[in-house]
């Protein structure tokens, strides 16, 4: 596996989450809300199922089954968006910041992984009305960034994770022959990971095309 494949094949697993039916008071103590234990269990199970889906997608990706991994990542992202919607509907305490942090991280990583999967899914043939795999990959990276914008202080990816996402955006733009946009994305990735060989390689490749 070369370095470019290594970056695209390095999918993120994320962390576990424990749901709390309460909030922190001024003394930092957890106070219970009116949510029942059944609600708590149901929400915890829903989060766990979304995490299991993401890991199943990771396993399919590592096995080289990119058709399956894109499908599973899509299912996982749908479930995560549904969980996020429950908070807006009041089914989850609005001040459960741990939940917000976890959902933000989950969205970012699932969308980033799904983008990587679309980039590798070379046998994909769009049906009538469907867009190319590069357009799908670019859209997924955009959604990952939107997840961060929704709650800017909730959770932030490390430089390596963000560089990986920007690199994937650059690859998607390159696949769409949008070399100016690819240049912008790979430059941002290079700022975060200036010594990364494959980012430098893509940067050089795009520079030559734009000359």
């Amino acid at each position: 596996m070369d370095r470019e494949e290594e970056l695209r094949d390095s999918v993120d697993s994320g962390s576990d989450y424990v749901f709390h039916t309460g909030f922190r008071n001024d003394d930092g103590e957890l106070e219970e809300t009116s949510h029942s234990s059944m609600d708590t269990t149901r929400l915890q199970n829903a989060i766990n199922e979304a995490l299991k889906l993401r890991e199943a997608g990771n396993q399919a990706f590592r096995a080289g089954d990119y058709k399956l991994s894109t499908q599973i990542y899509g299912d996982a992202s749908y479930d995560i968006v549904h969980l996020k919607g429950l908070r807006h509907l009041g089914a989850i305490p609005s001040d459960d910041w741990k939940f917000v942090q976890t959902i933000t991280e989950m969205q970012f990583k699932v969308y980033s992984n799904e983008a990587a999967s679309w980039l590798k899914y070379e046998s994909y043939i769009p049906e009538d009305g469907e867009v190319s795999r590069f357009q799908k990959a670019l859209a997924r990276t955009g959604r990952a960034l939107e997840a961060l914008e929704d709650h800017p202080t909730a959770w932030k990816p490390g430089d390596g994770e963000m560089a990986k996402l920007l690199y994937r955006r650059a690859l998607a733009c390159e696949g769409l022959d949008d070399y100016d946009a690819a240049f912008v994305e790979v430059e941002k990735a290079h700022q975060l990971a200036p010594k990364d060989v494959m980012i430098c390689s893509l940067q050089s490749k795009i520079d030559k095309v734009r000359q």
Side-chain angles (χ1 to χ4, degrees), residues 24 52 79 101 110 123 135 139 155 159 164 172 177-178 183 192 194:
R24 297 291 176 182
K52 288 178 182 178
D79 286 358
Q101 292 172 326
V110 166
S123 62
Q135 288 171 298
W155 176 85
D159 286 351
K164 187 186 298 185
D177 296 330
D178 189 348
F183 174 78
L192 294 173

Side-chain angles (χ1 to χ4, degrees), residues 1-19:
M1 179 184 297
D2 60 27
R3 285 285 293 158
E4 181 170 332
E5 290 176 337
E6 182 180 343
L7 183 67
R8 288 193 294 183
D9 289 358
S10 177
V11 288
D12 298 304
S13 297
S15 55
D16 296 330
Y17 170 75
V18 177
F19 179 77

